[in-house]
Amino acid sequence: MLWPRSAEKEYSRIQTRRRVIATVVKRARLLCGLLVVLGIAAIVALPQVAQKTYFSENSLLTASAKAIYSKDDLKQQNAFLDRITKDSSAFRDEVQTIMEEIGLETHRTNTYIYGVHHAPRSDGVEAIVLSSPITSSEKGVALVLGLARFATHQRYWAKDIIFLVADNQGAQDFLADYMGPAVRLPRGGLIQANLNIVMTTGTNFSHISVLHHGYLGRQPNLDFINVAVHTGAAAGATTFVEGVDKKTGNHSKLWRFLKGQATMSRDEHDRVHDAFLMRNIDAISLKAIPAKKGSSFSKLSVPQDIEMILRSLNNLLEKFHQSFFFYVLLDNRTFISIANFMIPLFILWGAFVVDSVRLYNTVEFTAQEALGAGLAIVIFAVGLGLIEIFRAAYVPDWVQLVVIAVATLLQFLAQRFFQQEHNRTTKDKAAMDMMLSLVLPIALGHLMIQNYSISLISSAILAPMQVFLGHKSRLMVLSMWILTCTVIYPELLKSGLLDESVLENMLPPSLSLPSVVPATFLAVSYVAL
Amino acid sequence: MKMLTLIVYICLTLVSCNELDLPKKFSDSTHTNNWAVLVDTSRFWFNYRHVANVLSVYRSVKRLGIPDSQIILMVADDMACNPRNPRPATVFNNANQNIDVYGDDVEVDYRGYEVTVENFVRLLTGRLPANTPRSKRLLTDEGSNILVYMTGHGGDGFLKFQDSEEITSIELADAFQQMWAKKRYNEIFFMIDTCQAASMFQKFYSPGILAVASSLVGEDSLSHHVDPAIGVYIIDRYTYYALEFLERVEPNSKKTMGEFMEVCPKRVCISTVGRRTDLFERDPYRVPITDFFGSVRRVEVSDAVVNLTLSADADSVVKKSAKKEKFRFGDLLPIDTLLSRTAKA
């Protein structure tokens, strides 16, 4: 088209294209089946290409400085612990009094209490947040207060440190106030990272678990997890990531991968670090997992671990930006990056594309109808693209819902507008089927970025369906799947009727409404026709 | 009495002269003054060791006699006052924290963002703006021996300045050639401690340059140890062992440049030290180390007596100045003139 070609070359090009498409149409089922099998094989092979984690940020210098949190500091921390009792009405008063005794600038509302320690020799442009929820145990709060007292005696802070006591709702309120227009709050600069500590009652801990999954599948930068794992090892507090423990190393990589996917698909977002991740602030939670017998690390390990993490964060010059943002962790030192984990999904989605090619060629579509179909897909993809942009900026859920609803409606209208026959004929069904086949991979691709495990499980179920089931049954299964994930399963979990520990690795993923919105509206619109 | 004074005079001559009595194995030095250009090109807290490197060399060079007026020290970042420094106002080069290489008499000539490739090349070639102060100028002449020490992050054929620009080995070689053409040096000793450091001296083509580098092309130069109290890598291997050598050097040392260039063998440095001796006319093993690191002058003490006769005019001048003159304060400010001038305006 762009340069003059001879007539013979043009003719042979068109001939080749026709031949290829004819083969594809004839062998569509075979090709789809092949792609599905290849995709499943790729999923099984995926954990084998996992890499060892490594530090990408040179300035972190993790665990180079010796931790100096001493027994005296621990004594003070325990003195604070004696003064605060979780369920008493004076709890918040007491915490605020302690913060003021330490010398922090404090502020308190119904849902959160925080204190700011300004770095004495720095310009106060950046801040780190150290937080603990109130709900699990006062030990976490005492730890935060003990570290606050320790921090005020150190001279090496380059960033302000904010000590926050709040649970998920409180953290959201804190961030709304802190980053909002209110003038009179004690402020410490832009928040670059959050470290959240969840302590449970009991004195014996087997290991520390790094919780890194957040709202809509967001995760902190991989370097942050590397820091936590490295300092844990240096401080004598063994650190694993969510869902992994000492015995995980004995299992195969594939088992670890699938278990990780089951954990990731849970999509819980009621923890403190989720509030920070929603606002694009790298955040992790360190949860101390109680041991069944014996104590595995000393009392100083956890405070020293946290001290070393804070020191590493202090060494940063900007927010974490060097390492991976999209990754899947097999265990605390093995990961798969997006470059690798998107390949099995692309192969599976190939089945959808092949099927749509078949449908397009079985029925006579006019050029106008083809244009309409193309336009519809573009509208849908743009709608999803907007969702991605909104995800980076903190746009409320309802706006995202509206945008995707409008996009779905528009694409439906566009396709129908251009179509010439509108009455349940073969062509009509074929047109709808083709649209479904093309739009579903786009929706699943969008899901992949939001929560890889949900996209993986959905693709692994829906792609074979494309091969073996007819149009109506496919729609039925799709709608049932979406309903289960969005409504039935979370409700069952909330009501307590499901015992997680028994079925842990076999349960379907749980989805929050915004993360499955595109597929929901899509299915509803087609079923309604 | 006269005998006593003569004996005292002879004793003083023997004791207080600063003459360097070189054995015959040393070749003749042809320089008349010594300069040093010490450059650290890295900023940020995790590059603490580069600043410690350059300040340690500065200390050694100052101790051996080169005055501050003849040292150009370029440091790209302030580690002593970095908020992350738990020992503010100090920079150490060893975990035992024996020597504070920052001290209170360090004179940094180019600091912070002034350390750029342009400023460095202008400094070497002398093409500085007219209002540049003397402390920022390299006022060398054809009798100057210059020690050029550079440290930072480098690669194959370049040295990184401040994480934003690079100087290539060709630019550096051309700068040295300009210096040769303008007769701005007698001999240069080029010392560089970066990764793939040898690539920086491979392109030199001007005579009179002796060069040593901490690693060859394709090798990384490694740091020596971490200071757990401060939390950074505190010095690089090559500079650490070079300093160990220099600490045992005194102004009257008989050590040679050849011995200095052998410091840090592969088993301690892990990287291989690179050397360039083809552009240098003398044999490095016959060049005293103070030819580049110290400021030792050849002093010849003579006990020959020179007769001076004063002319007749001189006598009268002396007599006149012997007269007591009256002094009075002059008008420092011609107030009357000024007042009258303003009255007119």
Side-chain angles (χ1 to χ4, degrees), chain A residues 99 226 479 491:
Chain A
M99 281 188 179
N226 290 340
S479 330
E491 290 301 320

Side-chain angles (χ1 to χ4, degrees), chain B residues 50-207:
Chain B
H50 296 140
V51 174
N53 284 352
V54 79
L55 288 175
S56 312
V57 175
Y58 170 77
R59 287 274 154 226
S60 298
V61 143
K62 221 164 121 162
R63 181 175 58 83
L64 291 172
I66 304 185
D68 268 316
S69 54
Q70 286 171 216
I71 303 177
I72 305 283
L73 179 60
M74 302 172 79
V75 180
D77 200 1
D78 188 2
M79 294 306 166
C81 298
N82 192 310
R84 295 171 184 82
N85 194 344
R87 312 269 184 272
T90 61
V91 172
F92 293 108
N93 64 355
N94 201 311
N96 55 21
Q97 295 182 7
N98 278 341
I99 321 163
D100 170 17
V101 288
Y102 200 67
D104 47 4
D105 61 343
V106 65
E107 282 184 26
V108 181
D109 301 303
Y110 285 83
R111 65 193 63 225
Y113 288 109
E114 291 171 349
V115 179
T116 59
V117 174
E118 183 186 342
N119 283 349
F120 179 60
V121 175
R122 281 184 183 278
L123 171 82
L124 289 180
T125 54
R127 297 174 195 279
L128 289 159
N131 57 356
T132 316
R134 280 180 77 90
S135 61
K136 285 187 145 116
R137 288 178 185 268
L138 190 64
L139 300 165
T140 51
D141 55 34
E142 58 207 348
S144 305
N145 271 12
I146 313 180
L147 165 72
V148 180
Y149 174 80
M150 302 185 79
T151 183
H153 286 291
D156 191 358
F158 67 90
L159 173 61
K160 195 163 76 152
F161 268 67
Q162 304 249 23
D163 214 24
S164 63
E165 52 179 0
E166 291 140 9
I167 187 169
T168 58
S169 49
I170 297 169
E171 280 171 8
L172 192 56
D174 287 341
F176 283 156
Q177 177 63 13
Q178 278 197 50
M179 287 174 81
W180 176 252
K182 291 176 167 187
K183 295 190 169 52
R184 277 168 71 78
Y185 73 89
N186 176 40
E187 282 166 345
I188 287 182
F189 180 58
F190 181 73
M191 203 169 135
I192 179 163
D193 189 351
T194 68
C195 299
Q196 305 197 56
S199 63
M200 286 308 281
F201 63 54
Q202 277 170 353
K203 296 278 194 293
F204 290 170
Y205 56 98
S206 321

Side-chain angles (χ1 to χ4, degrees), chain A residues 59 65-66 121 155-156 314 316, chain B residues 45-46 82-86 228:
Chain A
S59 61
K66 194 160 157 321
R121 295 189 289 133
R155 294 177 289 179
Y156 48 67
N314 185 43
L316 279 177
Chain B
W45 175 244
F46 62 96
N82 192 310
R84 295 171 184 82
N85 194 344

Side-chain angles (χ1 to χ4, degrees), chain B residues 124-311:
Chain B
L124 289 180
T125 54
R127 297 174 195 279
L128 289 159
N131 57 356
T132 316
R134 280 180 77 90
S135 61
K136 285 187 145 116
R137 288 178 185 268
L138 190 64
L139 300 165
T140 51
D141 55 34
E142 58 207 348
S144 305
N145 271 12
I146 313 180
L147 165 72
V148 180
Y149 174 80
M150 302 185 79
T151 183
H153 286 291
D156 191 358
F158 67 90
L159 173 61
K160 195 163 76 152
F161 268 67
Q162 304 249 23
D163 214 24
S164 63
E165 52 179 0
E166 291 140 9
I167 187 169
T168 58
S169 49
I170 297 169
E171 280 171 8
L172 192 56
D174 287 341
F176 283 156
Q177 177 63 13
Q178 278 197 50
M179 287 174 81
W180 176 252
K182 291 176 167 187
K183 295 190 169 52
R184 277 168 71 78
Y185 73 89
N186 176 40
E187 282 166 345
I188 287 182
F189 180 58
F190 181 73
M191 203 169 135
I192 179 163
D193 189 351
T194 68
C195 299
Q196 305 197 56
S199 63
M200 286 308 281
F201 63 54
Q202 277 170 353
K203 296 278 194 293
F204 290 170
Y205 56 98
S206 321
I209 305 184
L210 184 64
V212 72
S214 59
S215 58
L216 298 176
V217 175
E219 286 180 346
D220 285 337
S221 289
L222 302 170
S223 48
H224 193 256
H225 62 274
V226 171
D227 182 350
I230 300 180
V232 281
Y233 286 97
I234 208 151
I235 193 161
D236 282 330
R237 281 181 183 259
Y238 180 72
T239 308
Y240 179 82
Y241 290 104
L243 285 171
E244 225 179 46
F245 183 94
L246 286 173
E247 259 146 47
R248 286 180 259 123
V249 168
E250 294 298 322
N252 58 357
S253 169
K254 308 236 189 327
K255 295 206 192 314
T256 61
M257 287 305 292
E259 285 167 35
F260 180 76
M261 286 168 71
E262 279 174 7
V263 90
C264 211
K266 201 173 160 92
R267 63 178 166 78
V268 287
C269 243
I270 302 176
S271 54
T272 322
V273 170
R275 297 176 193 90
R276 181 117 191 235
T277 51
D278 59 314
L279 294 167
F280 195 66
E281 290 106 19
R282 303 190 279 160
D283 175 13
Y285 286 92
R286 295 179 60 205
V287 176
I289 195 159
T290 45
D291 263 13
F292 291 102
F293 282 93
S295 187
V296 175
R297 308 295 177 84
R298 307 275 325 258
V299 175
E300 286 181 24
V301 178
S302 155
D303 26 328
V305 173
V306 178
N307 272 327
L308 293 171
T309 47
L310 291 173
S311 64

